[in-house]
Amino acid sequence: MTSLLIVAHAPLASSLQAVAQHVYPDCRAQVLAVDVAAGATLESAAEQVRVALAALGSGEVLILADVFGATPCNAALSAAAGLPVRVVAKVNVPMLWRSLCYVDNSLDDLVTRAVAGAAQGVMHVSVPHRQNQPTPRASHDQVQH
């Protein structure tokens, strides 16, 4: 079974961990979070990630990071070097939930499903308002109905 590690700017990682535990309270997956403080250096953040990886044990780990190129993601990449770990950036709730559902799959399959969950979770759901267009007058004429 693959473990999950969420690495993000504080307090996003621990908030996502709480969301995971709220929706899947009986989940067998081990989910840890590393909140990277605003002033953290790359070295200190990478050390936090190494400590969390050690706490997860020697198995496979999927790291979900918030922003590619930012300190949390760079720290995850640094700490993951040489380990059976994959890093996926731009974590969102659908990605997390999809990952939790498939922790028994291979790490490569889990990465594919996590990325698909993230992409499928993004939708435009609002209806745009009409701009500069008169609204049709309501008619009570029975012939027009």
Side-chain angles (χ1 to χ4, degrees):
M1 178 182 341
T2 303
S3 298
L4 299 178
L5 177 60
I6 307 164
V7 181
H9 292 90
L12 182 59
S14 57
S15 296
L16 287 170
Q17 181 185 29
V19 167
Q21 291 167 344
H22 172 73
V23 175
Y24 293 102
D26 299 329
C27 185
R28 297 176 303 134
Q30 192 169 10
V31 181
L32 293 183
V34 172
D35 284 312
V36 178
T41 64
L42 177 59
E43 294 77 22
S44 67
E47 183 58 29
Q48 283 182 279
V49 175
R50 283 187 202 92
V51 168
L53 287 171
L56 289 171
S58 60
E60 294 181 330
V61 178
L62 175 59
I63 298 178
L64 305 176
D66 58 355
V67 181
F68 177 73
T71 302
C73 185
N74 290 340
L77 290 169
S78 174
L83 299 174
V85 173
R86 299 285 294 275
V87 180
V88 176
K90 302 193 179 187
V91 64
N92 61 22
V93 174
M95 175 192 285
L96 176 60
W97 287 347
R98 181 74 59 95
S99 299
L100 286 169
C101 290
Y102 293 98
V103 291
D104 290 327
N105 292 20
S106 71
L107 185 55
D108 288 335
D109 184 56
L110 186 58
V111 167
T112 301
R113 290 180 183 276
V115 171
Q120 293 167 0
V122 177
M123 297 178 247
H124 180 193
V125 297
S126 67
V127 178
H129 296 288
R130 299 173 68 158
Q131 296 179 352
N132 300 325
Q133 298 175 7
T135 55
R137 292 186 185 264
S139 173
H140 298 291
D141 184 0
Q142 292 298 320
V143 175
Q144 291 183 2
H145 282 262

